PDB file of all heavy atoms in Angstrom:
ATOM      1  N   LEU A   1     100.412  77.978 112.217  1.00  0.00           N
ATOM      2  CA  LEU A   1     101.161  79.229 112.153  1.00  0.00           C
ATOM      3  C   LEU A   1     100.744  80.049 110.942  1.00  0.00           C
ATOM      4  O   LEU A   1     100.667  81.274 111.004  1.00  0.00           O
ATOM      5  CB  LEU A   1     102.666  78.961 112.121  1.00  0.00           C
ATOM      6  CG  LEU A   1     103.271  78.477 113.436  1.00  0.00           C
ATOM      7  CD1 LEU A   1     104.738  78.113 113.235  1.00  0.00           C
ATOM      8  CD2 LEU A   1     103.120  79.523 114.517  1.00  0.00           C
ATOM      9  N   LEU A   2     100.478  79.376 109.833  1.00  0.00           N
ATOM     10  CA  LEU A   2     100.000  80.095 108.642  1.00  0.00           C
ATOM     11  C   LEU A   2      98.658  80.771 108.916  1.00  0.00           C
ATOM     12  O   LEU A   2      98.419  81.883 108.459  1.00  0.00           O
ATOM     13  CB  LEU A   2      99.861  79.147 107.457  1.00  0.00           C
ATOM     14  CG  LEU A   2     101.143  78.832 106.721  1.00  0.00           C
ATOM     15  CD1 LEU A   2     100.888  77.800 105.633  1.00  0.00           C
ATOM     16  CD2 LEU A   2     101.744  80.083 106.135  1.00  0.00           C
ATOM     17  N   GLU A   3      97.798  80.101 109.657  1.00  0.00           N
ATOM     18  CA  GLU A   3      96.519  80.703 110.020  1.00  0.00           C
ATOM     19  C   GLU A   3      96.751  81.949 110.872  1.00  0.00           C
ATOM     20  O   GLU A   3      96.034  82.929 110.753  1.00  0.00           O
ATOM     21  CB  GLU A   3      95.658  79.699 110.785  1.00  0.00           C
ATOM     22  CG  GLU A   3      95.191  78.530 109.944  1.00  0.00           C
ATOM     23  CD  GLU A   3      94.570  77.416 110.770  1.00  0.00           C
ATOM     24  OE1 GLU A   3      94.393  77.576 112.008  1.00  0.00           O
ATOM     25  OE2 GLU A   3      94.267  76.365 110.190  1.00  0.00           O
ATOM     26  N   PHE A   4      97.767  81.926 111.720  1.00  0.00           N
ATOM     27  CA  PHE A   4      98.072  83.066 112.579  1.00  0.00           C
ATOM     28  C   PHE A   4      98.645  84.239 111.790  1.00  0.00           C
ATOM     29  O   PHE A   4      98.537  85.389 112.211  1.00  0.00           O
ATOM     30  CB  PHE A   4      99.064  82.657 113.672  1.00  0.00           C
ATOM     31  CG  PHE A   4      99.496  83.812 114.522  1.00  0.00           C
ATOM     32  CD1 PHE A   4      98.655  84.324 115.493  1.00  0.00           C
ATOM     33  CD2 PHE A   4     100.732  84.399 114.336  1.00  0.00           C
ATOM     34  CE1 PHE A   4      99.045  85.399 116.269  1.00  0.00           C
ATOM     35  CE2 PHE A   4     101.132  85.474 115.102  1.00  0.00           C
ATOM     36  CZ  PHE A   4     100.284  85.975 116.078  1.00  0.00           C
ATOM     37  N   LYS A   5      99.227  83.980 110.632  1.00  0.00           N
ATOM     38  CA  LYS A   5      99.862  85.039 109.850  1.00  0.00           C
ATOM     39  C   LYS A   5      98.888  86.171 109.526  1.00  0.00           C
ATOM     40  O   LYS A   5      99.252  87.341 109.549  1.00  0.00           O
ATOM     41  CB  LYS A   5     100.471  84.470 108.573  1.00  0.00           C
ATOM     42  CG  LYS A   5     101.319  85.471 107.831  1.00  0.00           C
ATOM     43  CD  LYS A   5     102.034  84.833 106.665  1.00  0.00           C
ATOM     44  CE  LYS A   5     102.879  85.889 105.968  1.00  0.00           C
ATOM     45  NZ  LYS A   5     103.552  85.389 104.821  1.00  0.00           N
ATOM     46  N   VAL A   6      97.652  85.853 109.268  1.00  0.00           N
ATOM     47  CA  VAL A   6      96.645  86.878 108.989  1.00  0.00           C
ATOM     48  C   VAL A   6      96.483  87.781 110.207  1.00  0.00           C
ATOM     49  O   VAL A   6      96.447  89.001 110.102  1.00  0.00           O
ATOM     50  CB  VAL A   6      95.286  86.235 108.610  1.00  0.00           C
ATOM     51  CG1 VAL A   6      94.195  87.280 108.507  1.00  0.00           C
ATOM     52  CG2 VAL A   6      95.417  85.452 107.325  1.00  0.00           C
ATOM     53  N   GLN A   7      96.426  87.179 111.375  1.00  0.00           N
ATOM     54  CA  GLN A   7      96.288  87.939 112.613  1.00  0.00           C
ATOM     55  C   GLN A   7      97.529  88.795 112.854  1.00  0.00           C
ATOM     56  O   GLN A   7      97.429  89.961 113.248  1.00  0.00           O
ATOM     57  CB  GLN A   7      96.080  86.965 113.765  1.00  0.00           C
ATOM     58  CG  GLN A   7      95.772  87.611 115.084  1.00  0.00           C
ATOM     59  CD  GLN A   7      95.476  86.559 116.137  1.00  0.00           C
ATOM     60  OE1 GLN A   7      95.204  85.407 115.837  1.00  0.00           O
ATOM     61  NE2 GLN A   7      95.539  86.960 117.378  1.00  0.00           N
ATOM     62  N   ALA A   8      98.704  88.259 112.608  1.00  0.00           N
ATOM     63  CA  ALA A   8      99.942  89.012 112.783  1.00  0.00           C
ATOM     64  C   ALA A   8      99.992  90.199 111.827  1.00  0.00           C
ATOM     65  O   ALA A   8     100.411  91.294 112.207  1.00  0.00           O
ATOM     66  CB  ALA A   8     101.142  88.092 112.563  1.00  0.00           C
ATOM     67  N   ASP A   9      99.564  89.987 110.603  1.00  0.00           N
ATOM     68  CA  ASP A   9      99.506  91.086 109.630  1.00  0.00           C
ATOM     69  C   ASP A   9      98.552  92.182 110.116  1.00  0.00           C
ATOM     70  O   ASP A   9      98.844  93.373 109.992  1.00  0.00           O
ATOM     71  CB  ASP A   9      99.054  90.589 108.262  1.00  0.00           C
ATOM     72  CG  ASP A   9     100.122  89.798 107.547  1.00  0.00           C
ATOM     73  OD1 ASP A   9     101.292  89.869 107.956  1.00  0.00           O
ATOM     74  OD2 ASP A   9      99.783  89.099 106.568  1.00  0.00           O
ATOM     75  N   ASP A  10      97.426  91.775 110.679  1.00  0.00           N
ATOM     76  CA  ASP A  10      96.459  92.739 111.178  1.00  0.00           C
ATOM     77  C   ASP A  10      97.078  93.610 112.274  1.00  0.00           C
ATOM     78  O   ASP A  10      96.937  94.828 112.271  1.00  0.00           O
ATOM     79  CB  ASP A  10      95.224  92.011 111.710  1.00  0.00           C
ATOM     80  CG  ASP A  10      94.163  92.954 112.219  1.00  0.00           C
ATOM     81  OD1 ASP A  10      93.867  93.940 111.517  1.00  0.00           O
ATOM     82  OD2 ASP A  10      93.636  92.714 113.314  1.00  0.00           O
ATOM     83  N   VAL A  11      97.774  92.996 113.204  1.00  0.00           N
ATOM     84  CA  VAL A  11      98.406  93.734 114.295  1.00  0.00           C
ATOM     85  C   VAL A  11      99.433  94.717 113.749  1.00  0.00           C
ATOM     86  O   VAL A  11      99.511  95.867 114.181  1.00  0.00           O
ATOM     87  CB  VAL A  11      99.063  92.773 115.304  1.00  0.00           C
ATOM     88  CG1 VAL A  11      99.937  93.525 116.293  1.00  0.00           C
ATOM     89  CG2 VAL A  11      97.998  91.972 116.029  1.00  0.00           C
ATOM     90  N   MET A  12     100.221  94.282 112.778  1.00  0.00           N
ATOM     91  CA  MET A  12     101.277  95.135 112.234  1.00  0.00           C
ATOM     92  C   MET A  12     100.726  96.306 111.426  1.00  0.00           C
ATOM     93  O   MET A  12     101.299  97.384 111.434  1.00  0.00           O
ATOM     94  CB  MET A  12     102.211  94.317 111.336  1.00  0.00           C
ATOM     95  CG  MET A  12     103.029  93.297 112.075  1.00  0.00           C
ATOM     96  SD  MET A  12     104.174  94.038 113.229  1.00  0.00           S
ATOM     97  CE  MET A  12     105.298  94.825 112.113  1.00  0.00           C
ATOM     98  N   HIS A  13      99.632  96.107 110.743  1.00  0.00           N
ATOM     99  CA  HIS A  13      99.151  97.125 109.813  1.00  0.00           C
ATOM    100  C   HIS A  13      98.024  97.999 110.357  1.00  0.00           C
ATOM    101  O   HIS A  13      97.640  98.964 109.718  1.00  0.00           O
ATOM    102  CB  HIS A  13      98.710  96.463 108.507  1.00  0.00           C
ATOM    103  CG  HIS A  13      99.846  95.798 107.812  1.00  0.00           C
ATOM    104  ND1 HIS A  13     100.873  96.491 107.223  1.00  0.00           N
ATOM    105  CD2 HIS A  13     100.143  94.484 107.653  1.00  0.00           C
ATOM    106  CE1 HIS A  13     101.744  95.635 106.716  1.00  0.00           C
ATOM    107  NE2 HIS A  13     101.323  94.416 106.955  1.00  0.00           N
ATOM    108  N   ARG A  14      97.521  97.678 111.516  1.00  0.00           N
ATOM    109  CA  ARG A  14      96.448  98.474 112.102  1.00  0.00           C
ATOM    110  C   ARG A  14      96.935  99.264 113.307  1.00  0.00           C
ATOM    111  O   ARG A  14      96.191  99.497 114.230  1.00  0.00           O
ATOM    112  CB  ARG A  14      95.322  97.567 112.559  1.00  0.00           C
ATOM    113  CG  ARG A  14      94.156  97.615 111.624  1.00  0.00           C
ATOM    114  CD  ARG A  14      92.971  97.119 112.376  1.00  0.00           C
ATOM    115  NE  ARG A  14      92.484  95.942 111.695  1.00  0.00           N
ATOM    116  CZ  ARG A  14      91.255  95.524 111.787  1.00  0.00           C
ATOM    117  NH1 ARG A  14      90.401  96.109 112.577  1.00  0.00           N
ATOM    118  NH2 ARG A  14      90.866  94.475 111.116  1.00  0.00           N
ATOM    119  N   HIS A  15      98.169  99.667 113.298  1.00  0.00           N
ATOM    120  CA  HIS A  15      98.741 100.330 114.467  1.00  0.00           C
ATOM    121  C   HIS A  15      98.283 101.776 114.637  1.00  0.00           C
ATOM    122  O   HIS A  15      98.461 102.359 115.695  1.00  0.00           O
ATOM    123  CB  HIS A  15     100.258 100.249 114.436  1.00  0.00           C
ATOM    124  CG  HIS A  15     100.874 100.943 113.266  1.00  0.00           C
ATOM    125  ND1 HIS A  15     100.935 100.363 112.035  1.00  0.00           N
ATOM    126  CD2 HIS A  15     101.414 102.169 113.139  1.00  0.00           C
ATOM    127  CE1 HIS A  15     101.508 101.209 111.196  1.00  0.00           C
ATOM    128  NE2 HIS A  15     101.812 102.308 111.840  1.00  0.00           N
ATOM    129  N   ILE A  16      97.707 102.370 113.621  1.00  0.00           N
ATOM    130  CA  ILE A  16      97.234 103.751 113.737  1.00  0.00           C
ATOM    131  C   ILE A  16      95.726 103.710 113.943  1.00  0.00           C
ATOM    132  O   ILE A  16      94.958 103.482 113.025  1.00  0.00           O
ATOM    133  CB  ILE A  16      97.582 104.560 112.472  1.00  0.00           C
ATOM    134  CG1 ILE A  16      99.077 104.564 112.257  1.00  0.00           C
ATOM    135  CG2 ILE A  16      97.037 105.973 112.598  1.00  0.00           C
ATOM    136  CD1 ILE A  16      99.502 105.201 110.953  1.00  0.00           C
ATOM    137  N   ARG A  17      95.327 103.933 115.171  1.00  0.00           N
ATOM    138  CA  ARG A  17      93.905 103.979 115.493  1.00  0.00           C
ATOM    139  C   ARG A  17      93.749 104.715 116.826  1.00  0.00           C
ATOM    140  O   ARG A  17      94.701 104.851 117.581  1.00  0.00           O
ATOM    141  CB  ARG A  17      93.295 102.592 115.561  1.00  0.00           C
ATOM    142  CG  ARG A  17      93.913 101.718 116.611  1.00  0.00           C
ATOM    143  CD  ARG A  17      93.203 100.371 116.670  1.00  0.00           C
ATOM    144  NE  ARG A  17      94.198  99.350 116.948  1.00  0.00           N
ATOM    145  CZ  ARG A  17      94.229  98.169 116.388  1.00  0.00           C
ATOM    146  NH1 ARG A  17      93.322  97.829 115.535  1.00  0.00           N
ATOM    147  NH2 ARG A  17      95.164  97.310 116.680  1.00  0.00           N
ATOM    148  N   THR A  18      92.559 105.132 117.091  1.00  0.00           N
ATOM    149  CA  THR A  18      92.323 105.855 118.334  1.00  0.00           C
ATOM    150  C   THR A  18      91.915 104.919 119.467  1.00  0.00           C
ATOM    151  O   THR A  18      92.111 105.242 120.624  1.00  0.00           O
ATOM    152  CB  THR A  18      91.232 106.922 118.146  1.00  0.00           C
ATOM    153  OG1 THR A  18      90.051 106.296 117.653  1.00  0.00           O
ATOM    154  CG2 THR A  18      91.698 107.986 117.156  1.00  0.00           C
ATOM    155  N   SER A  19      91.366 103.767 119.131  1.00  0.00           N
ATOM    156  CA  SER A  19      90.958 102.827 120.179  1.00  0.00           C
ATOM    157  C   SER A  19      92.057 101.796 120.429  1.00  0.00           C
ATOM    158  O   SER A  19      92.912 101.557 119.585  1.00  0.00           O
ATOM    159  CB  SER A  19      89.664 102.112 119.778  1.00  0.00           C
ATOM    160  OG  SER A  19      89.876 101.346 118.617  1.00  0.00           O
ATOM    161  N   ARG A  20      92.018 101.195 121.588  1.00  0.00           N
ATOM    162  CA  ARG A  20      92.996 100.187 121.972  1.00  0.00           C
ATOM    163  C   ARG A  20      92.788  98.906 121.165  1.00  0.00           C
ATOM    164  O   ARG A  20      91.659  98.497 120.906  1.00  0.00           O
ATOM    165  CB  ARG A  20      92.835  99.898 123.459  1.00  0.00           C
ATOM    166  CG  ARG A  20      93.828  98.924 123.984  1.00  0.00           C
ATOM    167  CD  ARG A  20      93.645  98.743 125.464  1.00  0.00           C
ATOM    168  NE  ARG A  20      94.461  97.618 125.870  1.00  0.00           N
ATOM    169  CZ  ARG A  20      94.714  97.304 127.101  1.00  0.00           C
ATOM    170  NH1 ARG A  20      94.196  98.014 128.071  1.00  0.00           N
ATOM    171  NH2 ARG A  20      95.455  96.274 127.390  1.00  0.00           N
ATOM    172  N   GLY A  21      93.896  98.260 120.768  1.00  0.00           N
ATOM    173  CA  GLY A  21      93.809  97.012 120.020  1.00  0.00           C
ATOM    174  C   GLY A  21      93.218  95.892 120.855  1.00  0.00           C
ATOM    175  O   GLY A  21      93.343  95.874 122.082  1.00  0.00           O
ATOM    176  N   MET A  22      92.584  94.947 120.215  1.00  0.00           N
ATOM    177  CA  MET A  22      91.941  93.838 120.915  1.00  0.00           C
ATOM    178  C   MET A  22      92.803  92.582 120.959  1.00  0.00           C
ATOM    179  O   MET A  22      92.518  91.666 121.698  1.00  0.00           O
ATOM    180  CB  MET A  22      90.605  93.507 120.239  1.00  0.00           C
ATOM    181  CG  MET A  22      89.612  94.655 120.258  1.00  0.00           C
ATOM    182  SD  MET A  22      89.175  95.202 121.919  1.00  0.00           S
ATOM    183  CE  MET A  22      88.292  93.795 122.519  1.00  0.00           C
ATOM    184  N   ILE A  23      93.850  92.524 120.151  1.00  0.00           N
ATOM    185  CA  ILE A  23      94.708  91.345 120.117  1.00  0.00           C
ATOM    186  C   ILE A  23      95.797  91.513 121.167  1.00  0.00           C
ATOM    187  O   ILE A  23      96.467  92.534 121.230  1.00  0.00           O
ATOM    188  CB  ILE A  23      95.305  91.154 118.716  1.00  0.00           C
ATOM    189  CG1 ILE A  23      94.179  90.922 117.711  1.00  0.00           C
ATOM    190  CG2 ILE A  23      96.284  89.993 118.705  1.00  0.00           C
ATOM    191  CD1 ILE A  23      94.631  90.876 116.283  1.00  0.00           C
ATOM    192  N   THR A  24      95.971  90.490 122.005  1.00  0.00           N
ATOM    193  CA  THR A  24      96.950  90.554 123.087  1.00  0.00           C
ATOM    194  C   THR A  24      97.952  89.412 122.957  1.00  0.00           C
ATOM    195  O   THR A  24      97.823  88.550 122.071  1.00  0.00           O
ATOM    196  CB  THR A  24      96.252  90.432 124.456  1.00  0.00           C
ATOM    197  OG1 THR A  24      95.738  89.097 124.590  1.00  0.00           O
ATOM    198  CG2 THR A  24      95.117  91.429 124.604  1.00  0.00           C
ATOM    199  N   MET A  25      98.898  89.375 123.870  1.00  0.00           N
ATOM    200  CA  MET A  25      99.890  88.296 123.875  1.00  0.00           C
ATOM    201  C   MET A  25      99.231  86.937 124.069  1.00  0.00           C
ATOM    202  O   MET A  25      99.758  85.921 123.664  1.00  0.00           O
ATOM    203  CB  MET A  25     100.920  88.532 124.984  1.00  0.00           C
ATOM    204  CG  MET A  25     101.801  89.736 124.733  1.00  0.00           C
ATOM    205  SD  MET A  25     102.807  89.561 123.254  1.00  0.00           S
ATOM    206  CE  MET A  25     104.017  88.383 123.807  1.00  0.00           C
ATOM    207  N   HIS A  26      98.053  86.909 124.685  1.00  0.00           N
ATOM    208  CA  HIS A  26      97.354  85.648 124.900  1.00  0.00           C
ATOM    209  C   HIS A  26      96.809  85.063 123.599  1.00  0.00           C
ATOM    210  O   HIS A  26      96.403  83.907 123.555  1.00  0.00           O
ATOM    211  CB  HIS A  26      96.213  85.837 125.903  1.00  0.00           C
ATOM    212  CG  HIS A  26      96.687  86.295 127.239  1.00  0.00           C
ATOM    213  ND1 HIS A  26      97.389  85.481 128.095  1.00  0.00           N
ATOM    214  CD2 HIS A  26      96.594  87.492 127.849  1.00  0.00           C
ATOM    215  CE1 HIS A  26      97.699  86.144 129.187  1.00  0.00           C
ATOM    216  NE2 HIS A  26      97.229  87.380 129.057  1.00  0.00           N
ATOM    217  N   ASP A  27      96.807  85.861 122.547  1.00  0.00           N
ATOM    218  CA  ASP A  27      96.306  85.410 121.255  1.00  0.00           C
ATOM    219  C   ASP A  27      97.383  84.765 120.389  1.00  0.00           C
ATOM    220  O   ASP A  27      97.099  84.304 119.292  1.00  0.00           O
ATOM    221  CB  ASP A  27      95.679  86.588 120.487  1.00  0.00           C
ATOM    222  CG  ASP A  27      94.474  87.152 121.205  1.00  0.00           C
ATOM    223  OD1 ASP A  27      93.629  86.355 121.654  1.00  0.00           O
ATOM    224  OD2 ASP A  27      94.393  88.383 121.328  1.00  0.00           O
ATOM    225  N   LEU A  28      98.624  84.752 120.874  1.00  0.00           N
ATOM    226  CA  LEU A  28      99.708  84.141 120.102  1.00  0.00           C
ATOM    227  C   LEU A  28      99.486  82.642 119.977  1.00  0.00           C
ATOM    228  O   LEU A  28      98.870  82.022 120.845  1.00  0.00           O
ATOM    229  CB  LEU A  28     101.056  84.396 120.787  1.00  0.00           C
ATOM    230  CG  LEU A  28     101.558  85.821 120.733  1.00  0.00           C
ATOM    231  CD1 LEU A  28     102.819  85.956 121.580  1.00  0.00           C
ATOM    232  CD2 LEU A  28     101.836  86.247 119.310  1.00  0.00           C
ATOM    233  N   PRO A  29     100.018  82.050 118.918  1.00  0.00           N
ATOM    234  CA  PRO A  29      99.871  80.600 118.765  1.00  0.00           C
ATOM    235  C   PRO A  29     100.661  79.858 119.841  1.00  0.00           C
ATOM    236  O   PRO A  29     101.575  80.402 120.451  1.00  0.00           O
ATOM    237  CB  PRO A  29     100.440  80.318 117.372  1.00  0.00           C
ATOM    238  CG  PRO A  29     101.216  81.508 117.000  1.00  0.00           C
ATOM    239  CD  PRO A  29     100.730  82.654 117.808  1.00  0.00           C
ATOM    240  N   ASN A  30     100.324  78.630 120.030  1.00  0.00           N
ATOM    241  CA  ASN A  30     100.996  77.750 120.979  1.00  0.00           C
ATOM    242  C   ASN A  30     102.496  77.730 120.707  1.00  0.00           C
ATOM    243  O   ASN A  30     102.923  77.616 119.558  1.00  0.00           O
ATOM    244  CB  ASN A  30     100.390  76.347 120.832  1.00  0.00           C
ATOM    245  CG  ASN A  30     100.957  75.348 121.767  1.00  0.00           C
ATOM    246  OD1 ASN A  30     102.158  75.109 121.789  1.00  0.00           O
ATOM    247  ND2 ASN A  30     100.090  74.754 122.555  1.00  0.00           N
ATOM    248  N   SER A  31     103.312  77.812 121.751  1.00  0.00           N
ATOM    249  CA  SER A  31     104.768  77.841 121.563  1.00  0.00           C
ATOM    250  C   SER A  31     105.299  76.557 120.932  1.00  0.00           C
ATOM    251  O   SER A  31     106.340  76.567 120.288  1.00  0.00           O
ATOM    252  CB  SER A  31     105.475  78.122 122.886  1.00  0.00           C
ATOM    253  OG  SER A  31     105.218  77.088 123.820  1.00  0.00           O
ATOM    254  N   GLY A  32     104.582  75.466 121.083  1.00  0.00           N
ATOM    255  CA  GLY A  32     105.009  74.212 120.444  1.00  0.00           C
ATOM    256  C   GLY A  32     105.046  74.327 118.927  1.00  0.00           C
ATOM    257  O   GLY A  32     105.910  73.748 118.272  1.00  0.00           O
ATOM    258  N   TYR A  33     104.121  75.093 118.361  1.00  0.00           N
ATOM    259  CA  TYR A  33     104.099  75.307 116.910  1.00  0.00           C
ATOM    260  C   TYR A  33     105.364  76.041 116.480  1.00  0.00           C
ATOM    261  O   TYR A  33     105.994  75.699 115.478  1.00  0.00           O
ATOM    262  CB  TYR A  33     102.900  76.139 116.474  1.00  0.00           C
ATOM    263  CG  TYR A  33     101.539  75.652 116.929  1.00  0.00           C
ATOM    264  CD1 TYR A  33     100.459  76.517 116.907  1.00  0.00           C
ATOM    265  CD2 TYR A  33     101.325  74.358 117.377  1.00  0.00           C
ATOM    266  CE1 TYR A  33      99.198  76.105 117.306  1.00  0.00           C
ATOM    267  CE2 TYR A  33     100.068  73.944 117.782  1.00  0.00           C
ATOM    268  CZ  TYR A  33      99.018  74.815 117.745  1.00  0.00           C
ATOM    269  OH  TYR A  33      97.773  74.401 118.137  1.00  0.00           O
ATOM    270  N   ILE A  34     105.711  77.045 117.239  1.00  0.00           N
ATOM    271  CA  ILE A  34     106.887  77.852 116.922  1.00  0.00           C
ATOM    272  C   ILE A  34     108.155  77.019 117.063  1.00  0.00           C
ATOM    273  O   ILE A  34     109.039  77.046 116.205  1.00  0.00           O
ATOM    274  CB  ILE A  34     106.945  79.092 117.838  1.00  0.00           C
ATOM    275  CG1 ILE A  34     105.688  79.932 117.640  1.00  0.00           C
ATOM    276  CG2 ILE A  34     108.203  79.913 117.578  1.00  0.00           C
ATOM    277  CD1 ILE A  34     105.412  80.896 118.770  1.00  0.00           C
ATOM    278  N   HIS A  35     108.245  76.240 118.134  1.00  0.00           N
ATOM    279  CA  HIS A  35     109.425  75.398 118.355  1.00  0.00           C
ATOM    280  C   HIS A  35     109.608  74.369 117.238  1.00  0.00           C
ATOM    281  O   HIS A  35     110.730  74.111 116.803  1.00  0.00           O
ATOM    282  CB  HIS A  35     109.333  74.699 119.702  1.00  0.00           C
ATOM    283  CG  HIS A  35     109.395  75.650 120.853  1.00  0.00           C
ATOM    284  ND1 HIS A  35     109.047  75.281 122.128  1.00  0.00           N
ATOM    285  CD2 HIS A  35     109.748  76.955 120.930  1.00  0.00           C
ATOM    286  CE1 HIS A  35     109.185  76.308 122.942  1.00  0.00           C
ATOM    287  NE2 HIS A  35     109.609  77.338 122.232  1.00  0.00           N
ATOM    288  N   ALA A  36     108.512  73.799 116.763  1.00  0.00           N
ATOM    289  CA  ALA A  36     108.604  72.822 115.672  1.00  0.00           C
ATOM    290  C   ALA A  36     109.162  73.477 114.415  1.00  0.00           C
ATOM    291  O   ALA A  36     110.035  72.921 113.743  1.00  0.00           O
ATOM    292  CB  ALA A  36     107.227  72.216 115.392  1.00  0.00           C
TER     293      ALA A  36
END
């Protein structure tokens, strides 16, 4: 999950752009990590 934090920060802070973002819901970490 800590490794994913960098990716989450990128999504949150790169919201102003003209092209479509490349990170999708399929890029989220495994739900087991979150549940733990």
Side-chain angles (χ1 to χ4, degrees):
L1 288 174
L2 279 176
E3 292 169 6
F4 176 76
K5 189 173 181 182
V6 172
Q7 186 176 343
D9 287 345
D10 181 46
V11 169
M12 292 296 292
H13 297 290
R14 256 200 241 204
H15 63 279
I16 301 173
R17 61 177 144 220
T18 56
S19 63
R20 183 177 170 169
M22 299 300 293
I23 298 173
T24 69
M25 292 297 286
H26 299 289
D27 297 314
L28 289 174
N30 182 302
S31 63
Y33 307 162
I34 300 161
H35 294 166

